[in-house]
Structures are given as structure tokens and as C-alpha cells.
Amino acid sequence: MLTNLAKKVFGSRNDRLLKQYRKTVSKINDLEPKIKALSDDELKAKTPEFKQRIANGESLDSILPEAFAVCREASRRVLGMRHFDVQLIGGMVLHNGKIAEMRTGEGKTLVATLPVYLNALTGRGVHVVTVNDYLASRDAGIMEPLYNFLGLTVGVIVSDMQPFFRQTAYNSDITYGTNNEFGFDYLRDNMVTDQYDKVQRDLAFAVVDEVDSILIDEARTPLIISGQADDNVQLYQVIDQVPGKLHRQETEEGEGDYWVDEKAHQVILSEAGHEHAEQVLTDMGLLQEGDSLYSAGNIMLMHHLMAALRAHTLFHKDQHYVIQDGEIVIVDEFTGRLMAGRRWSEGLHQAVEAKEGVEIKRENQTLASITFQNYFRLYDKLSGMTGTADTEAFEFQSIYGLETVIIPTNRPMQRKDYNDQIFRTAEEKYEAVVNDIQACFDKGQPVLVGTTSIENSELVSRLLTEAGLPHNVLNAKEHEREALIVAQAGKTSMITVATNMAGRGTDIVLGGNVKHLSDAIMADETLSDEEKQARISSLENNWETEHRRVLEAGGLHIIGTERHESRRIDNQLRGRAGRQGDPGSSRFYLSFEDPLLRLFALDRAAAILNRLAPERGVAIEHSLLTRQIEGAQRKVEGRNFDMRKQVLEYDDVANDQRKVIYHYRNEILTNKDVGDLAQSIRDEVVADLVNIYMPPDTMEEEWDIPSLEAQLAGEFRIQADIQGWLKQDNTLDNQDVKERLVQQVEKEYAAKVELVGKQNMSGFERNVLLQVIDSNWREHLAAMDYLRQGIHLRSYAQKNPKQEYKREAFIMFENLWAGIKQSAASLMTSVEVEQSDNIVAESEPQEPAMMQTIHSGAPTMEDVLGESRQELATEAFDPTGNDFSPEALAAQGLNVHRNDPCPCGSGKKYKHCHGKLN
């Protein structure tokens, strides 16, 4: 009550922020006549002027009004679009490192140009993050003329892009790309063996489009670069037969072998099921008679069994995945898109492949990983924009420290959101949906039907076909026609069935999107220029009539066939109607067979339905039911938040370790001479070894000198007569032995350095250190994965699993460092040098033979492999040409790596010759 009173008196936090921003908007508008009076050249000259002012110490905030005014005027001249006042407010919100919630159709792409231009003036680079390659390329293509006019360069990062072009794109003032590509480039940069192979610069400022989709929906799955592990393909095929021999329980306490907990998305084996499974596996010859599934030697067998059960009961074709070209392709549950190249981890993907009878790919071993939460927190400043962020404002604030500001619409919202209609069965619900669509079709009103899965979209499509209603289907199977389907979804009587509208990035214009059709006509090579112009003119003339008819029919009508588990996704669907003050309407149809109601709101709601809707086909609209459904959605949102938070809490432990490893690795890459570091490692390892066999402050009788000599000789090839030293001088102690050993090691090592040369030895030391760090880090990541999978069992011993995980992870990390130092010292001291004409060739460490990414589209092999590149450099090319630039070589089909000899024949590495970065 007091809070509400305070809001009435002082206004909400959002109101106060908007009030401050409007003051700055007034300043920008006051500058407009002055900026408008500038010529093009004078307007362009503003960019170097701003850069100089920043270099002289002026802050970005102080030049913001003038920079925004310049950007707005440039946009008006180049793009024909002038920023509205509310778009200026959105730009300030983004510049201040907050999230701008702006309704669909309010021009978020144009809003981003303001903070992007301002922050690019620092010269540190700005990243604009989108949800897919299409949107990254499209937005960059639309805005590049504006940035170029203002004297800034633009780059785009897409999948399957060669490293040269990635470096060029990252060195641009503004870089567009997807969240996956930015994240994977960060991981790959921390796997390179030459600092010149890195593609990213420092992470300064990022603007994230569809920020809720990227930072929340995709945050449950970490980014992983992996290499192939052991081959267990045949075992998956055998285990796939087991689920069919076990019986599913009807209820949690009922009879059977396993219970499927759909809420938690888990399968739980009962005691009887455990015994039955053991018997089945014994009959199949996978278990010894009397052996237990839970014995140490059968842990992997249990892991395979649970993966098979989950694949058969929780993952369904055309909902969670599709089969395409003989492969299992995951469907993103939030956007409805295919995630080509992404694979489920922990053997689940292989289990699904076995279930569907397609080729089973080998399991993967993690080589590098990071969560989106931890990647985006690396930026000095982070901001985002979306149409739906307010429902997740608490998570944005608690995880990322991002405040959400709701930006008012440019024109008043006219959309009518009708109450949900709830039916007893799904059959009744779909009958009502078809009737509603028919009514809209008859009066010429366009309809957008939202479904939560491919399966449901195909069901609606089948019903519409039976009813004789023409329609378009937009799901993961139709993604290539996505932009065209969405762009024309606002035409008269147009019916569009879509799996999910999150992040589609294309406005639905009432009357149809003339630009998209015009682009298609211009791309048609069968038409002459006159025919193209005539058709485009006809389209533009007909659009006014079409637009007016749709407005009279009530604008776009949104139909939701069920509630999503997140209110935000429902709001995204609704937000497709009513853009820029257009009329529109929306209604959701539900049944008690929908997963959300069945799992989270069934009992009380079903009792209400029985009282209020006794007849078949009768829909009810009741505020109590609506509140209960929203309560169910809040439950699911809370559970999903807990899941994401748990992923983050566990990854935070690994993240601290990752930062140490990557920092250490970068020090080695950037340091020209690692000799001092190598020496300190050797000395430290020798000292630690002496402490083990000759503990300080102990009696001579407790020392184990023979074992110390044996280990020095066997592991480090150091022949030291420590027993002889002690006989000659019985006063020697632990510290004296350390000093003598260190002197001996360094003397022998110096002889090797003198033989091969300091530069060659430095290259060898660098490669040894990198190779040892990488191999040990991979093994550490695998061990951390196993630890995380089983740590929850500690709760049975009344211990906090998270605290136990932190404690054990710390011990493991200490062991990792000890292992790295010991392996590196062993390799460096035991190396044998033979004198010849070609003494030491600087060799790159051996990298894993196969790598792929686990969260999204796999990058090209060249991106992640340190394969032999000599062949690539010596492929045929025109020796008479003198253009050996990356672009020229790429045009000839050549892929010359930076460490290859330059094709010009100079004998230098390409990176030091024609491949040198400007």
C-alpha cells in the first residue's frame, strides 16, 4: 500500500528515468536545425571531430546530444528514416547499459544505430548481437550505408567464415553477428597457438537484439567446442532395445519399472525397474550374473540406459527434433528453428539417433566451454533490446546487472486482447480455432496462428486444408521461406500458421510488405527492366487499397493455440499485431489436455470447468481460471530461472578457473621470450620434488634419497648423485640440495640452449607450455563434467552439493596446476638435442583430430583445427599475379593460413608478408 502511494506521489523508477531522458531529447531536438543546415561534407566531418574530442578526454555522455543529432540527420539523408523521440530515448537506454523494452514494430534496428555510432567513436569496436545469420547480414546490410556515410566501417560474422575475413570483420568499427559466433570465436581464440591467429579484439560494448531470447532462453545450454571421444556406437544400438522391455508407470507410486516426470523432464527408475533392467541386461550379456548396475564398473552402462529411456519418453520427433538428410536435427524450443550442427551432450543425441535408426555419431569430449551468461558478462558494457523483457526483469538484474526500462510506443496501442477461451478437450479447442479462422477469412481479416511445436502446426494445417482454407505454414521445415511468409502475413484473408514468432525480425505490414515482393521481382532474371518496373508500380498502387481493406477488417488477428510455459513468448506472439498504432486483436484457445494445464493447473481448474461448462464444445472465460493459468506460467518461469541459475552457479566455479587458464595462456602467447617463465617452472618443480622426498625440518633418517634420484633420472633425465653429496658434506639440508639441483638443471639446460639457439629454444618452450596447458585443461574439463553429474548424491549425506562442488573443484584445480608444471618441466628438461643442419623446427602442438560445436551451427574445420596447412599453401595459383591479399586468394579457392609460407615466394610466413594486418 505504501509502495503504491509512493509511486503515485513520486512516480515509478521507470517514470523517473523517462523524465530524465526526455530532458536530453529536448537538447537533441534543439540541435536539429543547426545540424540540418550542415552540408554532407560538414556532417561527415563531425565523426573525426568527435573522435578528437574523446581523445582529448571528453566523455561520451557529454557529446551524446550532438552525436545523436548527427546520427539522426545522417539517417534521414541516407536511409530516409528519421528517429522518433521515443527511439532517441531507446538509444540512451542502450548507451547507459540497460535493456530497452520496445514493442514490435517500433524500429529497434534503427534505435541501435544511435548508441552504436556513439560508442564506435572510441575506436574499441562495438558488437551488435542477433539471433541468426540472416538477421545479422540483413541488419548490417541495411545500416552499412549510414555508418559508411559517417566514416565508420562495418563487418559481419556468419558461420562458415574464413579466419581472415573474421579478423577483418572484428577489426571494423561495428561488427554484426550471432551470439553463437561471438561465443565460439572467444573460445577458439583461447585455443590458438599464435597470437596472430586470434580474431577478436577486447570485448568493449555489445548491443544484444532480442536480448530475452539470447540471454534467457538460450542460457540453459552452455557453448561447447568438443572433439570426438571413445567409440561406443554399438553399445547405443544394443541399449536402445532395453526401454521396450521395461514398463512405464501410470502414476508416480503405481506399478511398473520407471516413472516419467514431465515437469522436471526426467526419468526415474523404480526399485523394481532397477532389478528388471539388471535382468534384461544380464540376458543380453551386458551384465555379469549377480552384478549390479550401480557397481563402479557399470556406471557407464547405467548412464547409457538412462539416456535411452529419456530419448524414448521425453524427446519426440517433430517437436524436439526432426530427421533431415539422415541426421537428427534439434528444433529450438523457443524460436522453432532448426539448430543445424548442435548436438545434445551426455550421450543423449546418440540415444535419439539409435531410437530413430539413423547413423550414430561418436560421443564428444569437451575441449572448451562457456555459458552465455559468463561470456556476455565479459563485456565492459552490455545492453539489449526486445519487445518482451519486463516479465524477466528480475533475472536480468540479478544475473547480468541489467535494468529494464519500458519505452512508450510512438503511437497509442490499439490492439484488443480478448480473454482466453478454455475447453475440456483439444479436439473442441481446435474446432473453435478453425471456426475463428473461418470467420476472419470471410471478412478479409489476416490471421496469424501461433503453435508451440511443429507437430501442432501440422495438425492445424491439416484441419485448415480439410476446411478448404488456403494458408501458409512457417515452422522449422519451412525456414528458407521464413522472411517471405512473415512479410506477407498481413495481406487480406491471409492465414499464416507459425510455430513461434520469437526473433523473426520481419515486420508484418497490413496489406503486405511491398519491399520484399519488389526485391523478389528485381531478383527475377527472366523479367526485363520494363516488366520489373511495371510490376513494382502495380504492387505499390494496389497496396493502398489492400491496406485500407485490412484496416476495415480489424487489422491482424492473433490466435494462440495454447499458452507457452513463458508469458514472455505469449507476449511476443501478441506483439505481432498492433504495430505503430495499427488496429489488431488477439485471443488464446486452451484445453485441459494442453501440457501447461495438465501438468501445473489441472486439479482446481478442472473442478471449476465441471461446474461452469458441463456441455461439450462450450468455452468458458473466467478471471479465476486466467489467474490460475498465469500462476502456472509463473511456476514454470520460476523453475526455469532456477535451472539457469544453477547452471550459472556451477559454471561460475569453472569460469574463475577458465579466466586463470586463459590469462596464463595469453601471457605465453604475447610474451616474446618465455624463458624466465620456463625457468621458474623447472625450478619450482625441482623444489617441490625435493620437499616430497626430503621434507623440510625433518631428520635425515626420514629422507628417501634413492627414490628422489630415481624420479629425477626417470622423469626429468637429471643424473644427480645426491647420496654422494651428502657423504661429502653431511651438513647439507633440504635447501642446499634444492639449490644444487637447480644449478645443475639450469647448467644442463643452458648447454642445450647454446646448441640450438635462444630463439629456437624459446619457440620450443612456448609450444610445450601451450600443449601441456591445453591437454591438461581438456582432461580437467572432463573431470569437472563427471563431478557435476554426480555431485547431487552428496545431499544424501546431508552435505550441500554446491559447496562440495566448489571445494572439490578447487582441489582439482590445484592438482591441475601441479600437473601442468610437472609435465612442462619434464618435457623441457628431458628433451634431447641433436646437432645438424636443421636443428629445431618450430612445430605447432598436436591438436585434436575432430572438433565440433555443441550449441549451434558448427564452424568450419579450419576455424578450430590446427591441421596441417602446408598443402593449402602450396596449392596451384597464378604465379604471374601479384595480388596475394586474403580476398584475392579466396577468390582463387585458396585458403592460406597465417603461419604458412607466403605464396609470393619470399620465404616469409604469410602473416609477416602479404597477409600482414593493416
Side-chain angles (χ1 to χ4, degrees), residues 561-573:
T561 57
E562 63 183 92
R563 286 278 194 175
H564 197 276
E565 60 182 34
S566 168
R567 289 169 295 163
R568 184 168 42 80
I569 307 296
D570 293 341
N571 291 339
Q572 285 174 351
L573 178 61

Side-chain angles (χ1 to χ4, degrees), residues 592 600-611 624-625 628:
F592 284 102
F600 294 95
L602 180 62
D603 300 334
R604 288 177 60 198
I608 295 169
L609 181 62
N610 287 330
R611 287 199 301 272
L624 181 62
L625 276 173
Q628 191 155 4

